Amino acid sequence: MLAAVGGATASTTATADTAHAASSDFRPQLVTVDTPTRAAKAKLSALGLDLTEHAGHDFVEVVLHTPSDALALQLAGFRWQTRIPDLVQRESDVNAANRAYAAATGTSPLPSGRDSYRRLADYTADLDRLAGQHPGLVRKFALPHQSLEGKQVHGVEIAHDVRATDDGRPVFLMLGLHHAREWPSGEHTVEFAHDLVKNYGSDARITALLKKVRVLVVPVVNVDGFEKSVNDGQLIDLRDLDDGGTGSILATPGNAYKRKNCRIVDGQRPLAGECALASSPGGFGAGVDLNRNYGGLWGGPGAAAEPVHATYRGAGPFSEPETQNVRELVSGRQVTGLITNHTFSDLVLRPNGVAPDTVGPDGQPVGDPPDEPALKELGDRMAAQNGYTSQHSWELYDTTGTTEDWSYNATGGYGYTFEIGPDEFHPPFPEVVDEYLGKGAYAGKGNREAYLLALESAADPEQHAVISGKAPAGATLRLKKTFATPTWSGTVKDTLDTTMEVGADGSYTWHVNPSTRPVVKARQIEVVGSEPLKRETSTGTTAPGQSTDREFVVDRDADVLEAALDWPTPDDLDLYVLRRNADGSLTRVGSSTGSVGEKERVLIDDPQQGTYVLRVENWASASPSWNLTASLYESTTSEVGGVIENWTLSCEKDGKVLQQLPVVADRGDRVKADLGECGRKQG
Ligand code: 0X9
Ligand code: ZN
């Protein structure tokens, strides 16, 4: 697809010189920055540039919007290659490709048949049409908060007999366009709605699924931002085409690469027209990064505290109407599965957003989610449908305050981020088609099949809990829970409050999330003994770009090998641990490449006996002397957390609470809760 329109794959190696960086014909561009270590990644993210999620073990892709972005990279000593040398030209080429595709295509193979990107009004029209034409199957709803520019955000609920109030079915939620420029994320979300509606009644699998589970679809979470991005993005070709483009107009993609919402000043709504004009120092635009504004560990690593940054977390957890919308939607329904779509990188990401050894706000390692095996299993199965990579979110880079790091940890409902497509925020439209339906080895699968697997999981009672019993016909049942969700520096109060109605037969079955939140569930952590079984220390000095090796022999049974590196200056040294094999070769068994100034420590569990090489590498520019300590320890495993939480189940008639019960339900449990007293009181 890329080759057809050219440009995107051109790769010039440009270790930029000042003249280049500062030149007046600078074009916004996508570059691949060399980041051989985690320290380099940390250093890069501290520059506050517009990092994309397209990153590997030794590179991160970055959008350079202005000459000063390029200068910042250069002054920090980074090397980079240019991948898309001129994003404005690329935008124009993509638009040309899209026009050609639309002209040549009557009806695309997508469920809706669309052959071009939707604008905001097209999404609204689609939701209206789906609901209008299928009233028994589709219900349109407005989210509770208007956007900062006063727009309503809409979604549809899709289910067999969608208006039934007594069925207690589990809920699956799909979200698109948190990030304005990620157009395919809205397309796939709304196409999935079309797909379900189109195939309900004719496709046995989809029909059966829609009897078991309700589907909520919100294709455009960030309505203000998306409107700006798509309008400006599609304008570029017009300026280009009519030859009316001047150098200065064409030199800016306007808001085509806007990422965030329209919050220009914390706590204030933008003035009319202000958001469109406020394009920040970088073309990623002003605003709050909605995918850093959720409550879960809000304000922690991987989220910026300053508004100028691409990942600005906002003034406080849930400070933005767009995240409040999703919060209230998730808090008011039993959402057992969630996918939030983004672009790009061909990834299926699962919680958590920070690595398990990250010490969290409670002073303990954050650990893996208690549901890691199940989360991984489903993530891997979904990734196998589209050829994406299934991984923890933190393997991409640290994030806090993201959608599913909040929703999963607060509700227990499984949540995933999809990063759609290999290499662009909004590629030529045929790629949207291919990613949805699958192509090549994945033809007939793609994200469509991955989404269906997620839907099946959300419907599967083994993956959530079921509460059932007798209750008076027509009574309202309520499941409620109030708790403090940990942010990085405090807590935010969350209330989950969901209802259903008891059917005419006087019994109910309610598919719900587990009563205990993942974030407070018991987790195992290893506690290392205080006295080492063996310890050796050494010192050395390593010049920039050089490394120094020391040997350490593990000559006894031990639970942990610890290698710790310390030095007096604020420079950056990295530490690697390698094991010497029988043939003399070395295998890397551990590394520590923390941020600049951070001391390095490697822990290796159950180290095999033999000789180890401890390698000190100097990544930064000074030449410090260092202290290296290698120790062997015994350890014990201990449990932290381990709180058990309950739902409060109430039975209400005419707004009066007639009976209340605590209900504890773990994942996979089926719990009986009879509400007989409710009936007697009522009589
Ligand atoms: O950084 C992000 O918000 C996402 N990438 S994007 O380029 N689309 O902006 C990735 C977030 C993944 N992390 C978690 N969900 N924890
Ligand atoms: Zn995104």
Side-chain angles (χ1 to χ4, degrees), residues 53 179 182 259 291-292 342-343 349 353 393 397 399 402 404-405 417 419:
E53 74 290 4
H179 291 141
E182 301 175 1
R259 170 179 170 92
N291 210 28
R292 300 294 182 277
H342 288 254
T343 65
L349 300 173
S393 288
Y397 44 63
T399 54
T402 67
E404 75 277 22
D405 284 338
T417 294
E419 296 282 4

Side-chain angles (χ1 to χ4, degrees), residues 5-88:
V5 291
T9 50
S11 168
T12 44
T13 306
T15 300
D17 51 78
T18 314
H20 175 238
S23 87
S24 61
D25 62 0
F26 182 89
R27 294 308 183 96
Q29 53 197 259
L30 187 65
V31 303
T32 304
V33 180
D34 296 348
T35 51
T37 63
R38 248 173 81 187
K41 283 203 177 72
K43 189 174 168 186
L44 177 63
S45 64
L47 294 179
L49 298 175
D50 187 9
L51 272 53
T52 76
E53 74 290 4
H54 198 205
H57 71 281
D58 60 356
F59 73 94
V60 178
E61 286 192 357
V62 177
V63 183
L64 300 180
H65 294 272
T66 62
S68 60
D69 285 353
L71 197 59
L73 261 192
Q74 186 199 337
L75 292 176
F78 283 102
R79 297 177 58 86
W80 68 91
Q81 295 80 42
T82 306
R83 201 166 61 72
I84 302 183
D86 183 342
L87 282 170
V88 182

Side-chain angles (χ1 to χ4, degrees), residues 461-524:
E462 287 304 310
Q463 303 297 335
H464 51 261
V466 183
I467 305 174
S468 63
K470 294 194 175 24
T476 299
L477 303 186
R478 183 180 302 277
L479 272 181
K480 198 168 168 179
K481 203 149 76 92
T482 295
F483 48 84
T485 290
T487 66
W488 201 256
S489 51
T491 58
V492 58
K493 186 179 156 188
D494 266 315
T495 299
L496 308 182
D497 189 349
T498 63
T499 58
M500 71 169 285
E501 244 152 64
V502 182
D505 68 349
S507 72
Y508 73 94
T509 303
W510 202 350
H511 291 257
V512 302
N513 276 315
S515 59
T516 303
R517 287 171 296 150
V519 75
V520 297
K521 277 206 121 176
R523 59 184 198 268
Q524 307 291 317

Side-chain angles (χ1 to χ4, degrees), residues 636-649:
T636 48
T637 303
S638 83
E639 203 175 83
V640 297
V643 177
I644 292 175
E645 295 180 325
N646 62 275
W647 287 108
T648 298
L649 173 63

